[in-house]
Amino acid sequence: LNIVSTFLTEVQREADPADSCEAAYQELHVVFSPSTAGALKRALQGSGSNRKAAVVTFDDIFSVGPLTRLHEESDRKNRREWLSDHLNPGHDDDLEEYGVDFEQAVREIQDRNDAIPITIWYGDNAHEQAGLRFVLFLLRNSRNPVKLIDATKRTEQTFNTRNTRIDDRHTGEISPKKWALRLNEASSLRTCSPEEKRRLADEWLHLSEQPSLLRGWKDSRFLHMEEDAFDSDIIDALRDLQRRKGHDEYIHAARVIGEVLGRLDQYVGDGYLEYRLRTLIYKGVLEIKGVPRAMRYYRVRLKNAR
């Protein structure tokens, strides 16, 4: 459950040519979570194609934290410091690993061969929409043919019926079997026009100038939200859990965060929600039992629960 590890731990890479940009490859795929990368790699390996493919993963959640001038290496430390200060765990070694992984992904994008076709897979959420624009800004002067595929929207179009509804909030929720279908249709999709690429790269510049620390996505637009936008959802979820277990009971933090994640229509990750849970503790809204070094180590209840 703890997606903070997704922010601050090293991406595990399988030792095969399709997984390394250091080896020769004939196509490049860009994704925005390790779980998406794993599912896509399995689909690529099972596709029967003789073309060697590389998968670049940005192990981050762009819907939370500062994005100011993230395209400049000298300014990326601001984001690393914010993540370290606000999201558990905030250890220096984890922060260093996050920085190394992020810089490696940027280099793999910037050092690609200009003839290599690139496919960027994303979803209908602020995190991957921001990541899409960030990558296209890095590619703004490239000549590579680029395909942009909203995998969550296409999965919904394929599988949603009158009686069945799939509502994947991000590409990491798409099952590995469904990735094979996405790969099969990718070859027939058009490449991104220079005008569209330039427009999305410009949108990244505008996004990176905004001071907001929390972003949502609705009707194909970014929502710039207040930091405490989900605090009421946390309180409501905790109140409901206490009503079921007994008003005086402390509830495990991980249980509270899981309940909130199931209710939200935005993708922000449990690390951000746990940061807001701890903020409510500091403000005196919640009582705590245990040590908040990670959400599995402590429990909470509303201060006026008794």
Side-chain angles (χ1 to χ4, degrees), residues 26-289:
Q26 296 164 293
E27 59 187 57
L28 178 64
H29 298 264
V30 182
V31 298
F32 301 100
S33 84
S35 57
T36 301
L40 179 57
K41 289 170 191 174
R42 287 194 291 275
L44 286 165
Q45 291 166 354
S47 67
S49 173
N50 293 323
R51 292 174 61 83
K52 293 181 179 179
V55 177
V56 172
T57 312
F58 282 91
D59 187 9
D60 205 331
I61 297 188
F62 295 120
S63 52
V64 303
L67 296 179
T68 306
R69 298 183 61 81
L70 196 64
H71 48 276
E72 298 289 346
E73 183 176 359
S74 59
D75 290 298
R76 287 197 275 272
K77 66 178 182 179
N78 296 326
R79 179 170 177 81
R80 294 197 295 270
E81 289 174 355
W82 189 92
L83 295 175
S84 178
D85 289 342
H86 294 82
L87 305 183
N88 273 331
H91 307 305
D92 291 341
D93 53 346
D94 294 325
L95 181 62
E96 183 177 349
E97 287 175 359
Y98 165 81
V100 170
D101 290 339
F102 197 97
E103 296 304 326
Q104 176 65 21
V106 170
R107 283 195 299 272
E108 288 171 348
I109 295 293
Q110 293 179 327
D111 294 346
R112 86 273 153 231
N113 184 308
D114 271 351
I116 296 294
I118 299 173
T119 303
I120 305 175
W121 302 88
Y122 60 97
D124 206 29
N125 58 79
H127 158 50
E128 291 173 305
Q129 292 286 341
L132 163 68
R133 286 155 175 78
F134 175 65
V135 171
L136 287 176
F137 183 84
L138 297 178
L139 292 170
R140 64 193 183 282
N141 297 320
S142 75
R143 296 192 297 273
N144 301 79
V146 178
K147 289 185 178 182
L148 312 179
I149 303 180
D150 186 335
T152 58
K153 187 171 290 186
R154 288 189 169 276
T155 298
E156 291 174 6
Q157 291 170 347
T158 302
F159 293 98
N160 281 358
T161 65
R162 180 177 300 177
N163 300 319
T164 304
R165 178 168 180 80
I166 293 175
D167 189 19
D168 294 326
R169 286 173 294 183
H170 60 94
T171 56
E173 294 180 350
I174 299 174
S175 69
K177 290 182 179 179
K178 293 184 175 67
W179 276 105
L181 295 175
R182 302 284 76 80
L183 276 178
N184 288 338
E185 71 182 9
S187 60
S188 63
L189 298 177
R190 68 174 181 83
T191 58
C192 179
S193 68
E195 293 76 20
E196 184 178 10
K197 191 164 117 179
R198 185 163 48 251
R199 174 180 62 80
L200 291 170
D202 289 342
E203 287 181 11
W204 165 258
L205 278 180
H206 176 73
L207 182 64
S208 72
E209 292 170 354
Q210 306 307 308
S212 57
L213 296 173
L214 178 62
R215 296 158 208 91
W217 181 257
K218 187 175 182 180
D219 299 329
S220 300
R221 296 181 61 183
F222 287 102
L223 305 175
H224 296 282
M225 309 167 74
E226 296 295 328
E227 267 190 274
D228 62 356
F230 301 128
D231 287 11
S232 61
D233 296 282
I234 294 172
I235 293 170
D236 289 345
L238 180 54
R239 183 179 291 112
D240 290 344
L241 289 169
Q242 287 183 218
R243 188 179 296 120
R244 296 175 214 163
K245 294 197 65 173
H247 291 288
D248 290 342
E249 290 293 321
Y250 284 89
I251 311 295
H252 276 101
R255 179 70 182 88
V256 179
I257 299 305
E259 184 76 14
V260 179
L261 283 172
R263 299 181 180 197
L264 295 183
D265 61 357
Q266 299 290 339
Y267 177 56
V268 294
D270 59 358
Y272 184 84
L273 293 176
E274 201 243 342
Y275 150 58
R276 296 309 308 173
L277 183 71
R278 284 184 282 111
T279 300
L280 291 171
I281 294 170
Y282 302 149
K283 289 182 174 181
V285 178
L286 308 182
E287 293 180 310
I288 181 173
K289 192 172 186 178

Side-chain angles (χ1 to χ4, degrees), residues 5-13 34 59 93-94 97-98 100-101:
S5 60
T6 302
F7 277 103
L8 300 172
T9 58
E10 183 176 2
V11 180
Q12 298 298 318
R13 301 178 183 273
D59 187 9
D93 53 346
D94 294 325
E97 287 175 359
Y98 165 81
V100 170
D101 290 339

